[in-house]
Amino acid sequence: MRFGIKSLLAAMLFTSVSSSAIASEEVNVYSYRQPFLVEPLFQGFTEETGIKVNVVFAKKGLAERLKREGANSPADLVFTVDIGRLNEVVEMDLVQAVNSDTLNSNIPSQYRDPEGLWFGLTTRTRSIYASNERVKDGEITTYEELADEKWKGRICTRSGKHPYNLALIASMIAHHGEAETETWLKGVKANLARKPQGNDRAQVKAIYEGVCDLSLGNNYYLGKMLQDEEQTKWANAVNILFPNSADRGTHVNISGMALTTSAPNKANAIKLMEYLTGETAQTMYAEQNFEYPVNPAVQPSELVASWGEFKADQLPLADIAGLRKAAAKLVDKVAFDQ
Amino acid sequence: MRTNSPTYPVKSFWRSEHYWKLSAFLTTSIICLPVLAVLYLAAFPDDNIWVHLSETVLPAYIKSTLILMLGVGCLSTALGIGAAWLISHYSFPGKRFFTWALLLPFAMPAYVIAYVYTDFLEYAGPLQSMLREIFGWQSSRDYYFPEVRSMGGAIILMSLTLYPYIYMLARAAFLQQSVSLYYAARSLGSNSFGFFFRVSLPIARPAIVVGLSLVLMETLNDFGTVDYFAIQTLTAGLYDTWLNMSNLGGAAQIATVMMLAVVFLIMMERKSRDQQQSFSSKTQSRPLPTQHLTGKKAFFATLLASTPIVFGFLIPVIILSDYSIHYFDKSWNTQFFTYAFNSFSLSFSAAFITLVIACILAYTKRLDNSKFTRSMTQVSSLGYAIPGAVLAIGVIIPLAGFDNWLDSIARSHFGFSTGLLLSGSIAALLFAYTVRFLAVATGAIDSSLEKVTPSMDMASRSLGKSSLTTLIRIHLPIIKPGALTAMLVVFVDCMKELPATLILRPFNFETLATHVYQFASDELIEQCALSALVIVIVGIIPVILLSRSINRT
């Protein structure tokens, strides 16, 4: 018995230590995005180029890990799901500029850093989902109207502190100033049907259940829900709206990437960046994840296109990132999540 | 105690006890590094968070943190002590089964149970749908149903997964109580309840408090469940400060305050316990007689014992199995065995390392019960009081620092680069697990060792055996049940561990928990239900094996 445990332990220690083999051609990614969403893209890249993509996924702490690993960090690229995190690695001075004609021509200038420190991959709108039974067409057309008293007890949302909501609030601050945004946020808070909870999908479910009539959510969740047998009925209970399309445009966030300062496989990393903004990969993003491709040569999926055209807010993303802390403080100030 | 530790005229370093102290000191120093790193971070915040926090949400954070801790503390203590008392004092149908089955909910990660119950009990869930159908209710306005995603829900679900800590330790404590006390109490006219409250419980208090403090620390650190239930605790404020306000230093300050609060609680308890030290008997004798229950009473005992198992284990497992069948195609994954192997080998190795270190620390304390050695045990347990993701940053700082230092030396003296040796390796994960869960193991080993009478040491040493031989030949066999329990708890905790694993792991390295998290973080647990089930199953195999081996000894 004792011998058995010992040899088992030795075998386990050995295999676990030796499991990290190193391939010759590779690129290493620290990803804030779930691997199952990006894996098919990486597979496509490996098939085309023979370069292996290695991933570590976590929702927090990767920027810190990168910082502490310093010049010896194995990471080449950082992937994020919003501008806030992207801006963070830039501010922490962990990334380097990339000057690639392919990237510059594939990505419109508002979705990449002017100096080439970060690049957007896809865009997503912060949409309003409205019950198709209880909300009439045209009854709400702007974010500002969410604070209107007629929606009292009729709005659901996830935490105000979620990066997607913070970016929206930051964009409100950019357009209206802090004081006016605070009044607006207070108004929205007063209209909530329940304490902020769950993710964007859960809010649509709540509309389906009759808990509320309006919710905030990223556009791709609708596509994802329609793919799922169980969730189709939730999706069928709502219309997706693109607020402020008549004036400044709908708030848009990006998923993006940046090249680390230490990148040991720089050439491969740039190849991957270029591949992901190319038509094949962008089409996959559009078809499988229901996001809007940044590459203007690639059309959104048929389903996404069927939701209608919208005008995107042209506010520079860097401005939104810069106001993130102020937005977070406002959320506390009006006790939005309490 | 001090007079009991054998002392010899110092002949050489190895004949003296110094190498115990030295190795304990070195181990403690290494184990402390991540905690020190967090303190270091706390010294350099980006700006003062406390002004903003105290003006806005701090009172709410503190209030909900306290309510949650109080609720989980009370409920899990009641469940844990109740179950332990039932098992150790009565015999009823199925008792042998319940003895180990009461540990099963422990294998269930709290975030999984939270998700599963919400899905089951919410408006669109099967239960309410069925009720509406039966009673013809149209909407949520027609009836009242308690909200799962609430403070009450969080308290109940967290208690269901955490009470086994208290059950385990309380049961061991009850079993070790001397039978003479029982007869003395009974002869003085005390009934069974009186004996329980006035004799048994006070004696078992140290063990129960160890379990309770583990429960409270786990509650304080939890993020997954409270986040899902939209409860704004201090941990939520901590992550907000770190991630949304980009103020890691401020977050480390919150972590430090939380850690100090825990230390303060434990010290207060210890102080009040010191005053009743004379109470406990150190002699071992026959176990308490068990009362044989029959008829109605036996039925109720069985019902009571099965309640936490049904709610904390059976129902969630049934729901998960149901998901697994429905989503089998999405859920099935060829990498499954790799994930399970990674989880298992990692947790097993971490449990073994933790056990060895806990033995060194506890035994050193036994040999030399000075303030210094006692404080080493306490300091090395602090990792458990820090939220996992913050601890992970605390682990990276010294490891990456060491790697880069070694690399710069190699570069300048030998002209080659060593790169990162520890950071981003399995070793980093093992280190993090050890730092995090050492408290669990030390607590169990320490309390088992305390029960071994010092005359054992003296007998062995007077026969010329060294302290190491005494530990291996005398103590380890005696404390085997305690040691196995410690290893089991650390193993299961490691299987479930998430935040540190995510941040510290090597490239392309998935455990069952990280695989589940990918989906759970998007509220899609259905699609990884099979993996979640495997976590539970892999977790219960050692529960069963070990409890059998504990029963045999």
Side-chain angles (χ1 to χ4, degrees):
Chain A
M1 167 76 179
R2 189 184 295 167
F3 179 74
I5 284 185
K6 263 189 202 161
S7 45
L8 186 68
L9 180 79
M12 278 170 178
L13 276 172
F14 180 74
T15 39
S16 51
V17 169
S18 62
S19 64
S20 48
I22 298 158
S24 52
E25 282 294 306
E26 57 180 6
V27 53
N28 299 325
V29 175
Y30 281 177
S31 174
Y32 284 106
R33 197 153 203 212
Q34 292 108 308
F36 72 88
L37 289 174
V38 278
E39 221 123 74
L41 295 150
F42 291 162
Q43 268 168 21
F45 175 70
T46 306
E47 275 163 29
E48 201 178 291
T49 61
I51 300 167
K52 188 168 177 262
V53 186
N54 303 314
V55 187
V56 174
F57 153 71
K59 284 217 162 166
K60 45 185 163 257
L62 291 177
E64 275 302 318
R65 175 168 167 183
L66 188 61
K67 178 181 165 187
R68 296 292 163 180
E69 288 174 339
N72 285 313
S73 176
D76 298 297
L77 291 170
V78 177
F79 280 67
T80 79
V81 287
D82 89 310
I83 183 63
R85 291 283 150 76
L86 212 45
N87 191 59
E88 191 178 23
V89 283
V90 174
E91 279 188 349
M92 286 167 83
D93 211 10
L94 300 172
V95 296
Q96 56 174 303
V98 177
N99 197 351
S100 147
D101 291 338
T102 315
L103 288 177
N104 291 346
S105 70
N106 280 348
I107 309 172
S109 61
Q110 76 262 36
Y111 298 131
R112 57 184 156 84
D113 180 61
E115 292 166 44
L117 289 171
W118 54 262
F119 296 88
L121 279 166
T122 58
T123 65
R124 55 281 290 284
T125 59
R126 194 80 189 137
S127 281
I128 292 177
Y129 287 102
S131 159
N132 50 21
E133 273 179 15
R134 300 180 296 272
V135 180
K136 288 192 286 284
D137 279 351
E139 213 178 335
I140 182 160
T141 56
T142 64
Y143 296 114
E144 285 76 5
E145 286 170 286
L146 287 171
D148 193 318
E149 263 180 37
K150 78 170 173 185
W151 301 114
K152 197 160 198 73
R154 295 171 70 186
I155 300 177
C156 281
T157 176
R158 78 191 313 168
S159 161
K161 285 292 176 64
H162 191 276
Y164 300 156
N165 278 346
L166 283 181
L168 173 64
I169 297 166
S171 84
M172 293 296 285
I173 297 177
H175 288 296
H176 299 298
E178 216 166 304
E180 206 175 308
T181 306
E182 186 182 333
T183 318
W184 170 74
L185 200 58
K186 259 187 204 151
V188 180
K189 159 83 185 157
N191 287 343
L192 293 183
R194 62 177 188 190
K195 189 172 152 181
Q197 56 184 274
N199 62 0
D200 285 351
R201 206 189 299 254
Q203 316 311 321
V204 174
K205 187 180 185 185
I207 295 181
Y208 162 76
E209 291 170 354
V211 177
C212 42
D213 299 338
L214 295 178
S215 78
L216 281 166
N218 284 0
N219 67 285
Y220 52 83
Y221 279 106
L222 188 59
K224 294 269 174 193
M225 285 185 286
L226 287 167
Q227 261 186 338
D228 184 298
E229 210 181 311
E230 174 73 14
Q231 299 174 358
T232 305
K233 56 181 190 241
W234 313 347
N236 285 334
V238 296
N239 290 323
I240 182 168
L241 309 176
F242 300 95
N244 300 73
S245 276
D247 47 68
R248 66 171 186 271
T250 304
H251 166 64
V252 165
N253 206 329
I254 56 164
S255 75
M257 58 187 174
L259 182 70
T260 68
T261 316
S262 55
N265 310 295
K266 189 172 167 182
N268 289 347
I270 295 175
K271 263 189 216 162
L272 178 58
M273 294 172 99
E274 292 175 345
Y275 173 84
L276 291 176
T277 56
E279 289 193 20
T280 322
Q282 288 282 304
T283 309
M284 282 168 89
Y285 271 122
E287 298 292 333
Q288 291 178 12
N289 292 357
F290 307 105
E291 295 168 85
Y292 294 97
V294 279
N295 188 332
V298 178
Q299 295 304 308
S301 80
E302 217 170 289
L303 175 72
V304 174
S306 76
W307 300 336
E309 296 272 317
F310 71 94
K311 185 173 131 192
D313 189 346
Q314 295 299 310
L315 187 73
L317 288 165
D319 291 4
I320 291 176
L323 288 166
R324 191 169 59 126
K325 280 186 213 178
K329 287 192 171 175
L330 266 194
V331 172
D332 279 343
K333 209 167 168 191
V334 307
F336 194 82
D337 284 349
Q338 300 302 318
Chain B
M1 267 310 264
R2 191 166 207 174
T3 50
N4 292 333
S5 58
T7 45
Y8 298 93
V10 178
K11 290 190 185 102
S12 74
F13 176 77
W14 293 105
R15 288 297 296 274
S16 72
E17 307 299 319
H18 290 305
Y19 62 94
W20 282 106
K21 260 205 257 181
L22 185 70
S23 52
F25 178 71
L26 287 178
T27 322
T28 309
S29 318
I30 295 172
I31 295 288
C32 278
L33 287 175
V35 176
L36 291 177
V38 173
L39 293 178
Y40 164 80
L41 287 173
F44 303 100
D46 287 348
D47 70 278
N48 183 357
I49 49 162
W50 299 102
V51 179
H52 165 75
L53 278 181
S54 59
E55 276 172 1
T56 55
V57 280
L58 191 63
Y61 284 160
I62 292 177
K63 189 179 153 204
S64 52
T65 307
L66 290 179
I67 295 176
L68 185 72
M69 286 178 73
L70 193 71
V72 175
C74 290
L75 188 55
S76 51
T77 306
L79 282 173
I81 294 179
W85 181 248
L86 206 57
I87 292 292
S88 49
H89 204 57
Y90 298 98
S91 76
F92 51 92
K95 177 178 160 170
R96 279 181 69 102
F97 162 78
F98 286 120
T99 306
W100 61 265
L102 278 161
L103 293 170
L104 288 178
F106 187 46
M108 190 70 71
Y111 55 90
V112 170
I113 205 176
Y115 182 88
V116 163
Y117 269 107
T118 308
D119 200 48
F120 186 71
L121 295 175
E122 70 181 352
Y123 181 80
L127 187 69
Q128 289 201 48
S129 303
M130 193 180 77
L131 289 175
R132 282 195 298 272
E133 214 158 280
I134 295 172
F135 296 103
W137 295 321
Q138 294 303 315
S139 75
S140 58
R141 289 166 190 111
D142 295 349
Y143 62 100
Y144 168 78
F145 196 87
E147 175 62 52
V148 202
R149 284 189 178 190
S150 60
M151 180 62 88
I155 288 174
I156 292 173
L157 293 183
M158 287 175 90
S159 302
L160 276 177
T161 56
L162 293 176
Y163 82 84
Y165 278 124
I166 297 174
Y167 164 70
M168 233 174 322
L169 291 155
R171 179 176 159 249
F174 289 147
L175 286 178
Q176 271 157 349
Q177 285 174 8
S178 151
V179 69
S180 52
L181 277 173
Y182 178 72
Y183 289 122
R186 294 306 288 260
S187 69
L188 290 169
S190 161
N191 62 11
S192 200
F193 274 99
F195 172 67
F196 171 66
F197 282 110
R198 292 168 60 183
V199 182
S200 216
L201 207 53
I203 297 178
R205 183 171 144 187
I208 293 167
V209 167
V210 170
L212 178 61
S213 58
L214 295 176
V215 168
L216 290 181
M217 284 196 259
E218 197 109 318
T219 310
L220 192 63
N221 288 342
D222 173 86
F223 184 62
T225 319
V226 294
D227 184 48
Y228 188 62
F229 279 7
I231 295 168
Q232 306 285 318
T233 61
L234 273 173
T235 314
L238 184 157
Y239 286 123
D240 182 50
T241 306
W242 172 14
L243 301 168
N244 294 327
M245 316 232 181
S246 307
N247 187 349
L248 183 60
Q253 287 183 347
I254 300 182
T256 308
V257 169
M258 283 161 51
M259 189 172 77
L260 291 179
V262 171
V263 172
F264 178 73
L265 275 181
I266 294 174
M267 273 167 50
M268 287 296 290
E269 194 285 327
R270 207 158 276 169
K271 209 171 170 195
S272 78
R273 198 203 303 159
D274 280 346
Q275 291 155 5
Q276 46 154 278
Q277 196 61 52
S278 54
F279 225 83
S280 72
S281 132
K282 290 211 157 117
T283 52
Q284 189 114 17
S285 61
R286 282 183 301 129
L288 291 182
T290 52
Q291 225 169 314
H292 198 75
L293 299 178
T294 50
K296 243 189 219 167
K297 280 186 176 170
F299 172 75
F300 274 116
T302 313
L303 192 71
L304 269 179
S306 46
T307 309
I309 304 169
V310 168
F311 288 103
F313 185 77
L314 199 61
I315 293 178
V317 164
I318 291 173
I319 300 174
L320 280 177
S321 310
D322 183 55
Y323 291 159
S324 305
I325 295 165
H326 269 93
Y327 288 82
F328 187 78
D329 294 337
K330 276 189 183 162
S331 212
W332 177 253
N333 190 314
T334 47
Q335 298 273 284
F336 232 49
F337 293 105
T338 317
Y339 301 162
F341 176 79
N342 285 345
S343 286
F344 191 83
S345 51
L346 205 57
S347 307
F348 188 83
S349 314
F352 185 79
I353 295 168
T354 311
L355 184 69
V356 171
I357 294 178
C359 283
I360 294 176
L361 291 179
Y363 192 57
T364 307
K365 196 176 120 184
R366 183 182 180 82
L367 290 174
D368 173 62
N369 191 13
S370 62
K371 210 170 189 174
F372 178 66
T373 51
R374 273 205 307 272
S375 58
M376 280 201 295
T377 335
Q378 282 156 14
V379 168
S380 63
S381 297
L382 286 176
Y384 201 64
I386 295 179
V390 181
L391 187 72
I393 303 301
V395 166
I396 291 176
I397 292 174
L399 290 190
F402 172 79
D403 285 343
N404 285 317
W405 171 77
L406 196 68
D407 180 74
S408 69
I409 287 188
R411 275 176 204 257
S412 60
H413 288 75
F414 308 106
F416 69 94
S417 163
T418 55
L420 299 179
L421 290 176
L422 298 172
S423 171
S425 74
I426 298 288
L429 285 176
L430 290 175
F431 181 49
Y433 291 167
T434 308
V435 173
R436 180 137 183 78
F437 298 122
L438 187 60
V440 180
T442 317
I445 301 286
D446 206 27
S447 57
S448 316
L449 264 184
E450 261 173 32
K451 309 254 160 50
V452 183
T453 156
S455 53
M456 292 274 194
D457 302 56
M458 293 178 216
S460 167
R461 301 302 293 276
S462 63
L463 289 169
K465 302 293 176 197
S466 72
S467 51
L468 182 64
T469 318
T470 309
L471 172 66
I472 294 172
R473 304 265 296 269
I474 309 288
H475 291 104
L476 285 186
I478 296 178
I479 63 162
K480 195 174 156 198
L484 287 176
T485 310
M487 205 169 151
L488 159 75
V489 179
V490 176
F491 175 87
V492 177
D493 267 329
C494 291
M495 288 287 295
K496 298 189 289 185
E497 208 288 330
L498 203 49
T501 316
L502 281 169
I503 296 174
L504 297 172
R505 63 190 161 150
F507 284 102
N508 309 329
F509 185 85
E510 293 279 357
T511 64
L512 290 168
T514 62
H515 178 68
V516 168
Y517 177 71
Q518 265 199 65
F519 297 91
S521 65
D522 211 10
E523 303 187 10
L524 292 170
I525 271 196
E526 293 91 342
Q527 300 190 9
C528 59
L530 217 47
S531 302
L533 263 185
V534 176
I535 295 188
V536 177
I537 292 165
V538 177
I540 62 178
I541 294 170
V543 172
I544 295 170
L545 288 180
L546 285 176
S547 59
R548 283 177 63 184
S549 109
I550 291 169
N551 280 347
R552 261 185 271 124
T553 41

